[in-house]
Amino acid sequence: MDADESRARAAVVAAARDLDAQGLNRGTSGNVSLRWRDGLLITPSGVPSARIGEAEVVFLAMDGRFDHPLSPSSEWRFHRDILREKPAVNAVVHAHPDHGTAFAMCRQTIPAVHYMIAAVGGPTIRCSGYATFGTEELSRLALEALEDRNGCLLANHGMIATGPDLPKALWLAVEMETLCRQYAVALQVGTPVVLSDAEIARNVEKFRSYGPRRQASDR
């Protein structure tokens, strides 16, 4: 393992632990991947983030093969397919946060009730159709929900956030859960006002240069 690979594996481990630290995940649910050379590095199946080290991160080829004593996350298929179909995406975060997952259980799309939805790339956070976890069908449905979007909800399951790097994908996951929580509260207060598509389009342009910045050491 060279220094570059060690840094990439360490970034995956840090991201997986950050999901737990920020309350977006718990136990062995949720997973993280990072594009690496001709495949991806992904968290293993069934291992709590606190027990994942660099050596436990699995390298997965784009054809689904791996050579590791641990199996890759059971959701490796949609990680692989997102990275394969979206060249601008280099990192994928999947989690089961409370509010995002509650809306996913209700199969509700999140409308543009706050301008921060522009971070997802459009005027809605779509909710996919339902399919059993780990299946090709779930991967297909996730890609449909992610068309022209950086994140989505998965019906009766959780959320996906993507980004050009892991800090941006993690940031988006936090913003999506925050928006879901705010929307849930607003629905209790009254009737949230939905912003126009034109207003969100203006914000989408502004968001192209918004979010966590990569440091020189991360390049």
Side-chain angles (χ1 to χ4, degrees):
M1 185 190 307
D2 60 27
D4 287 342
E5 182 175 357
S6 179
R7 281 191 291 269
R9 288 172 172 273
V12 171
V13 172
R17 292 178 180 174
D18 202 22
L19 280 177
D20 282 8
Q22 300 210 50
L24 297 181
N25 218 52
R26 58 188 60 83
T28 60
S29 62
N31 26 78
V32 173
S33 69
L34 178 66
R35 189 187 299 277
W36 179 249
R37 294 177 180 165
D38 57 349
L40 58 145
L41 295 169
I42 188 166
T43 48
S45 178
V47 182
S49 62
R51 289 171 45 201
I52 297 174
E54 290 182 30
E56 283 70 45
V57 174
V58 180
F59 174 76
L60 184 76
M62 284 298 182
D63 62 5
R65 291 181 299 170
F66 65 96
D67 181 15
H68 196 285
L70 296 174
S71 296
S73 165
S74 59
E75 302 293 10
W76 67 266
R77 193 178 301 276
F78 70 60
H79 284 263
R80 187 275 309 273
D81 291 351
I82 291 168
L83 293 173
R84 186 168 59 187
E85 298 298 322
K86 290 176 168 282
V89 169
N90 291 310
V92 179
V93 169
H94 169 54
H96 302 168
D98 291 343
H99 293 84
T101 301
F103 280 109
M105 289 172 175
C106 297
R107 303 193 184 184
Q108 288 192 26
T109 290
I110 308 300
V113 289
H114 194 287
Y115 74 85
M116 282 296 292
I117 204 167
V120 183
T124 58
I125 300 174
R126 298 190 188 103
C127 184
S128 77
Y130 177 78
T132 304
F133 76 92
T135 60
E136 289 186 33
E137 178 68 2
L138 178 59
S139 181
R140 182 185 66 78
L141 292 169
L143 283 169
E144 287 179 1
L146 286 168
E147 184 176 357
D148 300 321
R149 296 290 191 274
N150 304 318
C152 70
L153 301 180
L154 297 175
N156 304 87
H157 190 150
M159 71 159 55
I160 295 174
T162 71
D165 52 42
L166 278 170
K168 196 72 177 281
L170 281 167
W171 169 80
L172 181 60
V174 171
E175 294 300 334
M176 288 173 63
E177 172 63 3
T178 298
L179 182 55
C180 287
R181 183 174 66 250
Q182 292 167 339
Y183 184 43
V185 173
L187 287 169
Q188 297 175 62
V189 173
T191 303
V193 175
V194 178
L195 297 171
S196 70
D197 287 356
E199 174 59 18
I200 297 306
R202 284 190 286 271
N203 281 279
V204 167
E205 288 303 312
K206 294 168 73 73
F207 268 77
R208 296 192 191 283
S209 59
Y210 189 83
R213 298 287 194 273
R214 295 180 69 185
Q215 298 181 352
S217 60
D218 295 330
R219 296 191 182 99

